[in-house]
Protein backbone atom coordinates (compact mmCIF):
# COMPACT_ATOMS: atom_id res chain seq x y z
CA UNK A 1 0.00 0.00 0.00
CA UNK A 2 1.83 3.09 -1.18
CA UNK A 3 0.43 6.11 -2.87
CA UNK A 4 2.14 7.09 -6.12
CA UNK A 5 1.44 10.02 -8.44
CA UNK A 6 -0.12 7.56 -10.92
CA UNK A 7 -2.44 6.15 -8.27
CA UNK A 8 -3.48 9.63 -7.24
CA UNK A 9 -4.23 10.58 -10.83
CA UNK A 10 -6.28 7.41 -11.25
CA UNK A 11 -8.40 7.74 -8.12
CA UNK A 12 -8.74 11.44 -7.35
CA UNK A 13 -12.13 11.81 -9.03
CA UNK A 14 -13.56 8.63 -7.57
CA UNK A 15 -16.78 8.91 -5.60
CA UNK A 16 -18.46 5.69 -4.46
CA UNK A 17 -21.59 4.91 -6.40
CA UNK A 18 -23.03 2.85 -3.54
CA UNK A 19 -26.28 4.33 -2.27
CA UNK A 20 -27.90 1.25 -0.75
CA UNK A 21 -28.07 0.58 2.94
CA UNK A 22 -26.77 -2.77 4.17
CA UNK A 23 -29.40 -4.51 6.25
CA UNK A 24 -29.35 -8.22 7.03
CA UNK A 25 -26.49 -8.72 4.58
CA UNK A 26 -28.50 -7.36 1.68
CA UNK A 27 -28.55 -4.05 -0.21
CA UNK A 28 -31.68 -2.11 0.72
CA UNK A 29 -32.85 0.98 -1.14
CA UNK A 30 -33.20 3.77 1.40
CA UNK A 31 -36.65 5.27 1.87
CA UNK A 32 -35.94 8.23 4.16
CA UNK A 33 -34.92 11.82 3.63
CA UNK A 34 -32.63 12.94 0.81
CA UNK A 35 -29.65 15.31 1.06
CA UNK A 36 -26.53 16.41 -0.80
CA UNK A 37 -22.99 15.43 0.08
CA UNK A 38 -20.31 18.01 -0.72
CA UNK A 39 -16.64 17.88 -1.53
CA UNK A 40 -15.25 20.55 0.84
CA UNK A 41 -12.31 21.18 -1.49
CA UNK A 42 -14.29 21.91 -4.66
CA UNK A 43 -17.51 23.00 -2.89
CA UNK A 44 -19.37 20.76 -5.37
CA UNK A 45 -22.16 18.34 -4.65
CA UNK A 46 -20.55 14.95 -5.23
CA UNK A 47 -23.51 12.78 -4.33
CA UNK A 48 -27.14 12.93 -3.42
CA UNK A 49 -28.03 10.30 -0.89
CA UNK A 50 -31.17 9.11 0.82
CA UNK A 51 -31.24 8.03 4.43
CA UNK A 52 -33.03 5.20 6.19
CA UNK A 53 -36.67 5.60 7.08
CA UNK A 54 -37.56 4.88 10.69
CA UNK A 55 -39.07 1.55 9.56
CA UNK A 56 -35.70 0.72 8.01
CA UNK A 57 -34.00 1.51 11.32
CA UNK A 58 -36.39 -1.02 12.92
CA UNK A 59 -35.49 -3.48 10.17
CA UNK A 60 -31.74 -3.00 10.77
CA UNK A 61 -32.14 -3.52 14.52
CA UNK A 62 -34.23 -6.64 13.91
CA UNK A 63 -31.57 -7.98 11.53
CA UNK A 64 -28.90 -7.35 14.17
CA UNK A 65 -31.06 -9.05 16.81
CA UNK A 66 -31.67 -12.10 14.60
CA UNK A 67 -27.95 -12.38 13.87
CA UNK A 68 -26.90 -11.91 17.49
CA UNK A 69 -27.58 -15.43 18.83
CA UNK A 70 -25.64 -17.37 16.18
CA UNK A 71 -22.80 -14.79 16.03
CA UNK A 72 -22.35 -14.68 19.80
CA UNK A 73 -22.24 -18.49 19.94
CA UNK A 74 -19.59 -18.78 17.23
CA UNK A 75 -16.09 -19.59 18.41
CA UNK A 76 -13.53 -16.79 18.72
CA UNK A 77 -11.59 -18.36 15.84
CA UNK A 78 -14.63 -18.23 13.57
CA UNK A 79 -15.40 -14.63 14.47
CA UNK A 80 -11.74 -13.72 13.95
CA UNK A 81 -11.74 -15.24 10.45
CA UNK A 82 -14.97 -13.48 9.47
CA UNK A 83 -13.73 -10.08 10.69
CA UNK A 84 -10.42 -10.62 8.91
CA UNK A 85 -12.28 -11.34 5.67
CA UNK A 86 -13.60 -7.78 5.84
CA UNK A 87 -10.08 -6.47 6.56
CA UNK A 88 -8.88 -8.40 3.47
CA UNK A 89 -11.49 -6.72 1.29
CA UNK A 90 -10.58 -3.32 2.70
CA UNK A 91 -6.97 -3.98 1.83
CA UNK A 92 -8.00 -5.01 -1.68
CA UNK A 93 -10.15 -1.88 -2.20
CA UNK A 94 -8.01 0.53 -0.17
CA UNK A 95 -7.69 2.98 -3.03
CA UNK A 96 -11.47 3.42 -3.26
CA UNK A 97 -11.78 3.87 0.47
CA UNK A 98 -8.96 6.39 0.41
CA UNK A 99 -10.41 8.39 -2.48
CA UNK A 100 -13.79 8.45 -0.84
CA UNK A 101 -12.33 9.85 2.39
CA UNK A 102 -10.27 12.52 0.65
CA UNK A 103 -13.23 13.62 -1.46
CA UNK A 104 -15.88 13.74 1.24
CA UNK A 105 -13.79 14.95 4.22
CA UNK A 106 -11.01 16.93 2.54
CA UNK A 107 -8.34 15.10 4.56
CA UNK A 108 -4.91 15.36 2.91
CA UNK A 109 -4.24 12.17 0.99
CA UNK A 110 -1.08 11.14 2.84
CA UNK A 111 -2.80 11.59 6.21
CA UNK A 112 -5.93 9.74 5.08
CA UNK A 113 -3.80 6.89 3.79
CA UNK A 114 -1.82 6.50 7.00
CA UNK A 115 -4.33 7.44 9.69
CA UNK A 116 -7.54 6.09 8.21
CA UNK A 117 -6.87 3.28 5.79
CA UNK A 118 -3.63 1.71 7.05
CA UNK A 119 -4.27 2.34 10.70
CA UNK A 120 -7.94 1.36 10.41
CA UNK A 121 -7.19 -1.99 8.79
CA UNK A 122 -4.39 -2.65 11.30
CA UNK A 123 -6.73 -1.96 14.20
CA UNK A 124 -9.43 -4.18 12.71
CA UNK A 125 -6.98 -7.06 12.45
CA UNK A 126 -5.94 -6.55 16.08
CA UNK A 127 -9.61 -6.61 17.12
CA UNK A 128 -10.15 -9.77 15.07
CA UNK A 129 -7.37 -11.48 17.06
CA UNK A 130 -8.91 -10.21 20.30
CA UNK A 131 -12.06 -12.21 19.47
CA UNK A 132 -10.08 -15.36 20.29
CA UNK A 133 -9.01 -14.30 23.77
CA UNK A 134 -10.25 -16.30 26.75
CA UNK A 135 -11.14 -13.66 29.34
CA UNK A 136 -12.25 -16.04 32.08
CA UNK A 137 -10.88 -15.13 35.50
CA UNK A 138 -10.58 -17.95 38.04
CA UNK A 139 -11.24 -16.41 41.43
CA UNK A 140 -10.60 -19.53 43.48
CA UNK A 141 -12.29 -20.45 46.75
CA UNK A 142 -14.55 -18.47 49.08
CA UNK A 143 -15.80 -20.20 52.20
CA UNK A 144 -18.63 -18.05 53.59
CA UNK A 145 -21.26 -19.38 54.29
CA UNK A 146 -20.18 -22.62 52.60
CA UNK A 147 -17.05 -23.51 50.61
CA UNK A 148 -17.43 -22.38 47.00
CA UNK A 149 -15.35 -21.67 43.92
CA UNK A 150 -15.90 -18.89 41.39
CA UNK A 151 -15.05 -17.98 37.84
CA UNK A 152 -15.89 -14.76 36.04
CA UNK A 153 -16.50 -15.03 32.34
CA UNK A 154 -18.20 -12.56 29.98
CA UNK A 155 -21.16 -12.42 27.67
CA UNK A 156 -21.72 -9.91 24.86
CA UNK A 157 -24.12 -7.03 25.61
CA UNK A 158 -26.19 -7.63 22.47
CA UNK A 159 -27.14 -5.20 19.71
CA UNK A 160 -24.92 -2.12 19.47
CA UNK A 161 -25.85 1.21 17.91
CA UNK A 162 -22.60 2.75 16.65
CA UNK A 163 -22.87 6.42 15.71
CA UNK A 164 -19.83 8.31 14.40
CA UNK A 165 -18.64 11.86 13.71
CA UNK A 166 -17.48 13.18 10.35
CA UNK A 167 -13.78 13.84 10.81
CA UNK A 168 -12.31 10.33 10.43
CA UNK A 169 -15.17 8.27 9.00
CA UNK A 170 -13.33 5.00 8.47
CA UNK A 171 -11.31 4.46 11.62
CA UNK A 172 -13.94 5.90 13.96
CA UNK A 173 -16.33 3.26 12.61
CA UNK A 174 -13.75 0.47 12.89
CA UNK A 175 -12.92 1.36 16.50
CA UNK A 176 -16.56 0.64 17.34
CA UNK A 177 -17.71 -2.19 15.13
CA UNK A 178 -14.39 -4.07 15.26
CA UNK A 179 -14.49 -4.22 19.04
CA UNK A 180 -18.22 -4.95 19.18
CA UNK A 181 -17.99 -7.79 16.65
CA UNK A 182 -14.93 -9.24 18.40
CA UNK A 183 -16.92 -9.26 21.65
CA UNK A 184 -19.74 -11.20 19.96
CA UNK A 185 -22.16 -8.28 19.58
CA UNK A 186 -23.95 -7.28 16.40
CA UNK A 187 -24.03 -3.72 15.12
CA UNK A 188 -26.11 -1.05 13.43
CA UNK A 189 -23.64 1.57 12.19
CA UNK A 190 -24.73 5.15 11.46
CA UNK A 191 -22.07 7.55 10.11
CA UNK A 192 -22.27 11.34 10.02
CA UNK A 193 -24.68 12.59 7.34
CA UNK A 194 -21.92 14.94 6.17
CA UNK A 195 -19.60 12.02 5.30
CA UNK A 196 -21.74 8.95 4.58
CA UNK A 197 -20.04 7.74 1.38
CA UNK A 198 -17.07 5.87 2.83
CA UNK A 199 -19.39 3.98 5.16
CA UNK A 200 -21.82 3.14 2.35
CA UNK A 201 -18.86 1.75 0.43
CA UNK A 202 -17.85 -0.22 3.50
CA UNK A 203 -21.35 -1.70 3.42
CA UNK A 204 -20.65 -3.13 -0.01
CA UNK A 205 -17.52 -4.82 1.38
CA UNK A 206 -19.49 -6.12 4.37
CA UNK A 207 -21.94 -7.79 1.97
CA UNK A 208 -19.06 -9.44 0.11
CA UNK A 209 -17.26 -10.51 3.27
CA UNK A 210 -17.71 -13.70 5.29
CA UNK A 211 -19.48 -11.81 8.05
CA UNK A 212 -22.83 -13.54 8.54
CA UNK A 213 -25.87 -11.60 7.34
CA UNK A 214 -27.10 -9.05 9.84
CA UNK A 215 -23.96 -8.97 11.97
CA UNK A 216 -22.94 -5.53 10.68
CA UNK A 217 -25.76 -3.35 9.33
CA UNK A 218 -25.10 0.02 7.78
CA UNK A 219 -27.66 2.78 7.59
CA UNK A 220 -27.33 6.50 7.00
CA UNK A 221 -29.46 9.38 8.19
CA UNK A 222 -29.56 12.65 10.07
CA UNK A 223 -30.07 13.53 13.72
CA UNK A 224 -33.66 12.19 13.69
CA UNK A 225 -32.40 8.76 12.64
CA UNK A 226 -29.63 8.95 15.26
CA UNK A 227 -32.13 9.89 17.94
CA UNK A 228 -34.48 7.08 16.98
CA UNK A 229 -31.64 4.54 16.87
CA UNK A 230 -30.04 5.54 20.18
CA UNK A 231 -33.36 5.51 22.08
CA UNK A 232 -34.61 2.28 20.50
CA UNK A 233 -35.76 -0.48 22.85
CA UNK A 234 -34.14 -3.07 20.55
CA UNK A 235 -30.66 -1.65 21.18
CA UNK A 236 -28.58 -2.80 24.16
CA UNK A 237 -25.66 -0.38 24.00
CA UNK A 238 -24.91 2.91 22.28
CA UNK A 239 -21.36 3.72 21.24
CA UNK A 240 -21.04 7.30 20.06
CA UNK A 241 -18.24 9.49 18.72
CA UNK A 242 -19.00 13.16 18.29
CA UNK A 243 -19.44 16.44 20.11
CA UNK A 244 -20.09 16.72 23.82
CA UNK A 245 -23.38 18.51 23.12
CA UNK A 246 -24.74 15.57 21.12
CA UNK A 247 -23.09 13.14 23.54
CA UNK A 248 -25.22 14.55 26.35
CA UNK A 249 -28.36 14.03 24.24
CA UNK A 250 -27.32 10.46 23.41
CA UNK A 251 -26.88 9.69 27.10
CA UNK A 252 -30.38 10.99 27.84
CA UNK A 253 -31.85 9.12 24.86
CA UNK A 254 -30.18 5.84 25.84
CA UNK A 255 -31.39 6.32 29.41
CA UNK A 256 -34.96 5.69 28.22
CA UNK A 257 -34.04 1.99 28.03
CA UNK A 258 -31.38 2.11 30.76
CA UNK A 259 -28.85 1.29 28.08
CA UNK A 260 -25.15 1.71 28.62
CA UNK A 261 -23.19 4.22 26.56
CA UNK A 262 -19.64 4.66 25.43
CA UNK A 263 -19.08 8.31 24.53
CA UNK A 264 -15.97 9.48 22.67
CA UNK A 265 -16.34 13.23 22.68
CA UNK A 266 -14.33 16.38 22.15
CA UNK A 267 -11.29 17.83 23.85
CA UNK A 268 -9.14 20.85 24.50
CA UNK A 269 -5.91 19.04 24.98
CA UNK A 270 -2.85 20.63 26.52
CA UNK A 271 0.57 20.64 24.91
CA UNK A 272 3.01 21.48 27.71
CA UNK A 273 6.53 22.71 27.05
CA UNK A 274 8.52 22.29 30.26
CA UNK A 275 11.60 24.33 31.17
CA UNK A 276 14.84 22.97 29.80
CA UNK A 277 13.36 21.76 26.49
CA UNK A 278 15.04 22.18 23.13
CA UNK A 279 12.02 23.82 21.50
CA UNK A 280 13.71 23.98 18.11
CA UNK A 281 13.98 20.17 17.98
CA UNK A 282 10.23 19.54 18.08
CA UNK A 283 8.58 22.74 16.81
CA UNK A 284 7.72 21.30 13.39
CA UNK A 285 6.34 18.08 14.85
CA UNK A 286 4.29 19.96 17.42
CA UNK A 287 2.71 22.48 15.06
CA UNK A 288 1.99 19.91 12.35
CA UNK A 289 0.32 17.72 14.98
CA UNK A 290 -2.23 20.17 16.38
CA UNK A 291 -3.10 21.40 12.89
CA UNK A 292 -3.48 17.85 11.51
CA UNK A 293 -6.67 17.33 9.48
CA UNK A 294 -7.07 21.14 9.68
CA UNK A 295 -7.46 20.80 13.45
CA UNK A 296 -10.50 18.55 13.04
CA UNK A 297 -9.27 15.95 15.51
CA UNK A 298 -10.68 15.20 18.94
CA UNK A 299 -7.19 14.94 20.40
CA UNK A 300 -5.82 18.06 18.68
CA UNK A 301 -3.20 19.35 21.13
CA UNK A 302 -4.15 22.97 20.53
CA UNK A 303 -3.69 24.51 23.99
CA UNK A 304 0.02 25.26 24.10
CA UNK A 305 1.39 25.91 27.59
CA UNK A 306 4.96 27.15 27.37
CA UNK A 307 7.38 27.99 30.17
CA UNK A 308 7.91 31.76 30.20
CA UNK A 309 11.69 31.49 29.84
CA UNK A 310 11.21 29.62 26.56
CA UNK A 311 8.41 31.79 25.20
CA UNK A 312 10.43 33.94 22.75
CA UNK A 313 12.48 30.97 21.53
CA UNK A 314 9.27 29.00 21.18
CA UNK A 315 7.74 31.67 18.95
CA UNK A 316 10.87 31.94 16.82
CA UNK A 317 10.98 28.16 16.33
CA UNK A 318 7.25 28.22 15.65
CA UNK A 319 7.70 30.80 12.89
CA UNK A 320 10.03 28.34 11.15
CA UNK A 321 7.62 25.47 11.77
CA UNK A 322 4.69 27.39 10.30
CA UNK A 323 6.60 27.47 7.01
CA UNK A 324 6.07 23.70 6.85
CA UNK A 325 2.30 24.09 6.81
CA UNK A 326 1.02 23.71 3.30
CA UNK A 327 -2.63 24.61 2.96
CA UNK A 328 -4.34 23.51 -0.22
CA UNK A 329 -5.51 20.66 -2.42
CA UNK A 330 -5.72 17.51 -0.27
CA UNK A 331 -4.76 15.43 -3.30
CA UNK A 332 -1.34 17.09 -3.42
CA UNK A 333 0.88 14.79 -1.31
CA UNK A 334 2.75 17.87 -0.04
CA UNK A 335 -0.43 19.37 1.43
CA UNK A 336 -0.82 18.89 5.16
CA UNK A 337 -3.83 21.16 5.75
CA UNK A 338 -7.01 20.76 3.77
CA UNK A 339 -10.36 22.53 4.00
CA UNK A 340 -12.91 22.40 6.80
CA UNK A 341 -15.97 20.27 6.34
CA UNK A 342 -18.62 22.93 5.60
CA UNK A 343 -18.87 26.73 5.23
CA UNK A 344 -20.82 27.09 8.49
CA UNK A 345 -18.02 25.32 10.33
CA UNK A 346 -15.42 27.54 8.62
CA UNK A 347 -17.43 30.59 9.72
CA UNK A 348 -17.60 29.25 13.27
CA UNK A 349 -13.81 28.77 13.35
CA UNK A 350 -13.24 32.26 11.92
CA UNK A 351 -15.66 33.54 14.57
CA UNK A 352 -13.36 32.23 17.33
CA UNK A 353 -10.41 34.05 15.74
CA UNK A 354 -12.30 37.34 15.33
CA UNK A 355 -13.64 37.22 18.87
CA UNK A 356 -10.18 36.49 20.32
CA UNK A 357 -8.64 39.40 18.39
CA UNK A 358 -11.45 41.72 19.49
CA UNK A 359 -10.77 40.75 23.10
CA UNK A 360 -7.12 41.81 22.84
CA UNK A 361 -5.73 38.50 21.64
CA UNK A 362 -2.95 38.52 19.04
CA UNK A 363 -2.28 36.36 16.01
CA UNK A 364 1.32 35.52 16.94
CA UNK A 365 1.94 33.16 14.06
CA UNK A 366 -0.10 32.75 10.93
CA UNK A 367 0.11 31.13 7.53
CA UNK A 368 -0.39 34.01 5.13
CA UNK A 369 -0.33 32.40 1.72
CA UNK A 370 -3.52 33.20 -0.22
CA UNK A 371 -6.19 30.56 0.22
CA UNK A 372 -7.38 28.56 -2.79
CA UNK A 373 -10.34 30.23 -4.52
CA UNK A 374 -12.59 27.26 -3.87
CA UNK A 375 -12.81 25.24 -0.69
CA UNK A 376 -13.74 26.02 2.91
CA UNK A 377 -10.24 26.77 4.13
CA UNK A 378 -8.91 28.62 7.14
CA UNK A 379 -5.23 29.52 7.35
CA UNK A 380 -3.60 28.12 10.51
CA UNK A 381 -3.08 30.62 13.27
CA UNK A 382 -1.51 30.66 16.73
CA UNK A 383 -3.34 33.02 19.08
CA UNK A 384 -1.77 34.53 22.19
CA UNK A 385 -2.23 37.27 24.74
CA UNK A 386 -5.46 35.69 25.94
CA UNK A 387 -6.57 34.92 29.49
CA UNK A 388 -7.05 31.26 30.31
CA UNK A 389 -10.77 31.95 30.67
CA UNK A 390 -11.15 33.13 27.02
CA UNK A 391 -13.54 31.11 24.88
CA UNK A 392 -10.77 30.28 22.38
CA UNK A 393 -8.78 28.76 25.26
CA UNK A 394 -11.63 26.83 26.85
CA UNK A 395 -13.78 25.61 23.96
CA UNK A 396 -13.05 23.05 21.28
CA UNK A 397 -12.56 25.01 18.03
CA UNK A 398 -12.06 22.01 15.72
CA UNK A 399 -10.10 24.06 13.21
CA UNK A 400 -6.47 25.05 12.55
CA UNK A 401 -6.33 27.42 15.52
CA UNK A 402 -4.11 26.98 18.58
CA UNK A 403 -3.64 29.19 21.62
CA UNK A 404 -0.42 29.70 23.54
CA UNK A 405 -0.15 30.64 27.22
CA UNK A 406 3.06 31.17 29.16
CA UNK A 407 3.43 29.65 32.63
CA UNK A 408 5.80 30.44 35.49
CA UNK A 409 6.49 27.02 36.98
CA UNK A 410 5.57 23.38 36.38
CA UNK A 411 2.89 23.34 39.08
CA UNK A 412 1.14 26.18 37.29
CA UNK A 413 1.42 24.27 33.99
CA UNK A 414 -0.25 21.24 35.55
CA UNK A 415 -2.96 23.40 37.08
CA UNK A 416 -3.68 25.14 33.75
CA UNK A 417 -3.59 21.85 31.83
CA UNK A 418 -6.23 20.40 34.15
CA UNK A 419 -8.30 23.59 34.23
CA UNK A 420 -10.69 22.48 31.50
CA UNK A 421 -14.02 20.73 31.29
CA UNK A 422 -12.42 18.13 29.01
CA UNK A 423 -9.92 15.37 29.73
CA UNK A 424 -9.05 13.62 26.50
CA UNK A 425 -5.33 13.90 25.80
CA UNK A 426 -2.16 15.84 26.53
CA UNK A 427 1.41 16.01 25.41
CA UNK A 428 4.34 16.86 27.64
CA UNK A 429 7.57 18.09 26.11
CA UNK A 430 10.13 17.38 28.80
CA UNK A 431 13.91 17.66 29.10
CA UNK A 432 14.01 14.04 30.30
CA UNK A 433 11.63 11.11 30.59
CA UNK A 434 11.53 11.13 34.40
CA UNK A 435 10.28 14.73 34.46
CA UNK A 436 7.85 13.98 31.62
CA UNK A 437 6.37 11.07 33.55
CA UNK A 438 6.20 13.05 36.79
CA UNK A 439 4.03 15.63 35.01
CA UNK A 440 2.07 13.08 32.96
CA UNK A 441 0.98 11.30 36.12
CA UNK A 442 -0.66 14.49 37.39
CA UNK A 443 -2.76 15.15 34.30
CA UNK A 444 -6.47 14.41 33.99
CA UNK A 445 -6.33 12.99 30.47
CA UNK A 446 -7.13 9.61 28.91
CA UNK A 447 -3.90 9.66 26.89
CA UNK A 448 -0.64 11.46 27.64
CA UNK A 449 2.16 11.48 25.11
CA UNK A 450 5.65 12.42 26.22
CA UNK A 451 7.91 14.14 23.71
CA UNK A 452 5.68 13.47 20.69
CA UNK A 453 4.85 10.16 19.09
CA UNK A 454 1.13 10.52 19.11
CA UNK A 455 0.10 7.15 17.77
CA UNK A 456 -3.17 5.51 18.74
CA UNK A 457 -2.09 1.94 19.42
CA UNK A 458 -4.64 -0.80 18.79
CA UNK A 459 -3.81 -2.30 22.20
CA UNK A 460 -3.99 0.90 24.31
CA UNK A 461 -7.20 2.56 25.55
CA UNK A 462 -8.45 5.80 24.04
CA UNK A 463 -11.07 8.07 25.57
CA UNK A 464 -11.46 10.75 28.14
CA UNK A 465 -12.71 12.16 31.40
CA UNK A 466 -15.20 14.96 32.04
CA UNK A 467 -16.83 16.35 28.89
CA UNK A 468 -14.51 14.18 26.78
CA UNK A 469 -16.70 11.21 27.41
CA UNK A 470 -17.52 7.98 29.13
CA UNK A 471 -15.67 4.68 28.69
CA UNK A 472 -12.84 3.76 26.37
CA UNK A 473 -12.26 2.54 22.86
CA UNK A 474 -9.41 0.36 21.60
CA UNK A 475 -7.39 -2.34 23.25
CA UNK A 476 -8.82 -4.77 25.75
CA UNK A 477 -10.64 -1.83 27.38
CA UNK A 478 -12.51 -1.20 24.13
CA UNK A 479 -13.59 -4.85 23.89
CA UNK A 480 -14.79 -4.89 27.51
CA UNK A 481 -17.19 -2.02 26.73
CA UNK A 482 -19.20 -4.60 24.77
CA UNK A 483 -19.04 -7.42 27.31
CA UNK A 484 -20.90 -8.02 30.56
CA UNK A 485 -19.03 -9.85 33.32
CA UNK A 486 -20.76 -13.01 34.56
CA UNK A 487 -19.89 -14.45 37.96
CA UNK A 488 -20.30 -18.24 38.04
CA UNK A 489 -20.10 -19.78 41.52
CA UNK A 490 -20.34 -23.42 42.55
CA UNK A 491 -20.32 -25.21 45.86
CA UNK A 492 -17.35 -27.49 46.47
P1 LIG B 1 -21.68 15.75 16.05
O1 LIG B 1 -21.84 15.55 17.50
O2 LIG B 1 -22.21 16.98 15.43
O3 LIG B 1 -22.34 14.54 15.24
C1 LIG B 1 -21.95 13.20 15.45
C2 LIG B 1 -23.05 12.27 15.02
O4 LIG B 1 -24.19 12.41 15.85
C3 LIG B 1 -23.55 12.48 13.60
O5 LIG B 1 -23.63 11.21 12.98
C4 LIG B 1 -24.92 13.08 13.80
O6 LIG B 1 -25.81 12.80 12.76
C5 LIG B 1 -25.38 12.39 15.07
N1 LIG B 1 -26.43 13.06 15.84
C6 LIG B 1 -26.74 14.38 15.90
N2 LIG B 1 -27.76 14.58 16.78
C7 LIG B 1 -28.09 13.37 17.29
C8 LIG B 1 -29.03 12.91 18.26
N3 LIG B 1 -29.84 13.75 18.91
N4 LIG B 1 -29.08 11.59 18.54
C9 LIG B 1 -28.24 10.71 17.93
N5 LIG B 1 -27.34 11.08 17.00
C10 LIG B 1 -27.25 12.39 16.69
O7 LIG B 1 -20.10 15.59 15.78
P2 LIG B 1 -19.27 15.89 14.47
O8 LIG B 1 -19.29 17.35 14.19
O9 LIG B 1 -19.65 14.95 13.38
O10 LIG B 1 -17.81 15.44 14.94
C11 LIG B 1 -16.93 16.30 15.60
C12 LIG B 1 -16.91 16.05 17.09
O11 LIG B 1 -16.56 14.68 17.34
C13 LIG B 1 -15.86 16.87 17.81
O12 LIG B 1 -16.39 17.38 19.01
C14 LIG B 1 -14.76 15.87 18.08
O13 LIG B 1 -13.92 16.20 19.15
C15 LIG B 1 -15.53 14.62 18.32
N6 LIG B 1 -14.69 13.44 18.12
C16 LIG B 1 -14.30 12.69 19.20
C17 LIG B 1 -13.45 11.59 19.04
C18 LIG B 1 -13.00 10.76 20.20
O14 LIG B 1 -12.59 9.62 19.98
N7 LIG B 1 -13.04 11.24 21.42
C19 LIG B 1 -13.00 11.27 17.75
C20 LIG B 1 -13.40 12.05 16.69
C21 LIG B 1 -14.25 13.13 16.88
Amino acid sequence: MAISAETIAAIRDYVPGVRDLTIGGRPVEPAGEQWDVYNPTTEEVIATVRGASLEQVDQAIRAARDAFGPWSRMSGEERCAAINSLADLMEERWEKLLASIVNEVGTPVSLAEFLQVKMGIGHLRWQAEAAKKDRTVHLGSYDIPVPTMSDVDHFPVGVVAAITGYNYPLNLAIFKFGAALAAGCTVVLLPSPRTPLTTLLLGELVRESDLPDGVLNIIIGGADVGQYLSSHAGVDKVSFTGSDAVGAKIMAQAAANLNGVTLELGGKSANIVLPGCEVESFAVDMHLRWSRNAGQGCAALARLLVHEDLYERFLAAGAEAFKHMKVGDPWDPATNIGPLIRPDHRDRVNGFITEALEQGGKALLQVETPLPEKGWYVNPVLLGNLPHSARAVQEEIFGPVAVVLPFRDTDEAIRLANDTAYGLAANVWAPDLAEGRRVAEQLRAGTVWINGGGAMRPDAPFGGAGRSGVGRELGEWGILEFLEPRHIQWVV
Side-chain angles (χ1 to χ4, degrees), residues 163 223 240 242-253 263 265 467:
I163 305 177
F240 171 75
S243 61
D244 52 339
V246 175
K249 289 187 194 170
I250 298 263
M251 206 168 186
Q253 289 157 199
L263 302 175
L265 311 178
R467 293 197 73 85

Side-chain angles (χ1 to χ4, degrees), residues 84-383:
N84 269 327
S85 77
L86 178 61
D88 292 343
L89 287 166
M90 291 170 69
E91 226 151 59
E92 206 181 287
R93 292 317 140 75
W94 70 274
E95 288 152 331
K96 289 186 168 178
L97 291 166
L98 175 66
S100 174
I101 294 165
V102 175
N103 286 333
E104 70 175 342
V105 190
T107 305
V109 62
S110 29
L111 178 66
E113 185 198 10
F114 141 72
L115 200 86
Q116 295 258 344
V117 182
K118 279 188 183 167
M119 191 174 105
I121 296 170
H123 278 58
L124 187 58
R125 291 204 186 280
W126 188 93
Q127 290 161 327
E129 281 301 307
K132 297 194 281 193
K133 182 171 172 174
D134 178 5
R135 296 182 169 79
T136 308
V137 178
H138 305 288
L139 291 180
S141 60
Y142 188 79
D143 292 342
I144 302 171
V146 291
T148 60
M149 294 282 282
S150 288
D151 280 355
V152 178
D153 71 356
H154 298 82
F155 60 95
V157 296
V159 172
V160 172
I163 305 177
T164 55
Y166 77 83
N167 55 328
Y168 290 118
L170 187 60
N171 56 0
L172 295 183
I174 289 171
F175 293 172
K176 297 186 182 313
F177 77 72
L181 296 184
C185 294
T186 56
V187 178
V188 178
L189 172 61
L190 173 69
S192 164
R194 289 182 280 190
T195 54
L197 302 177
T198 309
T199 316
L200 287 172
L201 176 59
L202 185 72
E204 191 172 75
L205 306 190
V206 168
R207 297 194 304 253
E208 282 179 47
S209 76
D210 297 339
L211 286 170
D213 292 348
V215 158
L216 177 52
N217 304 279
I218 290 175
I219 59 172
I220 62 169
D224 53 338
V225 170
Q227 182 168 354
Y228 187 71
L229 175 65
S230 55
S231 55
H232 201 287
V235 163
D236 300 299
K237 169 109 195 189
V238 184
S239 179
F240 171 75
T241 297
S243 61
D244 52 339
V246 175
K249 289 187 194 170
I250 298 263
M251 206 168 186
Q253 289 157 199
N257 298 301
L258 293 177
N259 278 338
V261 291
T262 301
L263 302 175
E264 298 296 339
L265 311 178
K268 192 72 186 177
S269 299
N271 212 335
I272 306 172
V273 181
L274 293 176
C277 278
E278 284 296 320
V279 289
E280 294 77 11
S281 66
F282 57 77
V284 173
D285 182 22
M286 176 189 212
H287 290 290
L288 290 184
R289 275 280 303 291
W290 67 254
S291 58
R292 192 153 86 179
N293 208 21
Q296 299 167 110
C298 52
L301 298 153
R303 204 157 47 97
L304 315 185
L305 307 175
V306 179
H307 188 260
E308 59 186 8
D309 289 352
L310 290 172
Y311 196 70
E312 293 307 320
R313 254 176 78 194
F314 175 82
L315 289 182
E320 285 304 305
F322 262 57
K323 292 180 189 159
H324 291 255
M325 292 181 182
K326 187 160 185 299
V327 181
D329 177 10
W331 281 108
D332 178 348
T335 295
N336 44 36
I337 296 168
L340 295 173
I341 191 71
R342 290 287 180 275
D344 57 342
H345 184 47
R346 177 206 47 199
D347 296 347
R348 180 180 167 277
V349 171
N350 280 329
F352 271 103
I353 301 171
T354 308
E355 183 185 296
L357 298 179
E358 281 168 3
Q359 290 172 348
K362 288 197 167 59
L364 300 174
L365 300 172
Q366 194 156 26
V367 172
E368 278 166 1
T369 44
L371 291 176
E373 266 177 36
K374 287 272 181 200
W376 300 308
Y377 291 93
V378 170
N379 259 334
V381 59
L382 177 66
L383 298 171

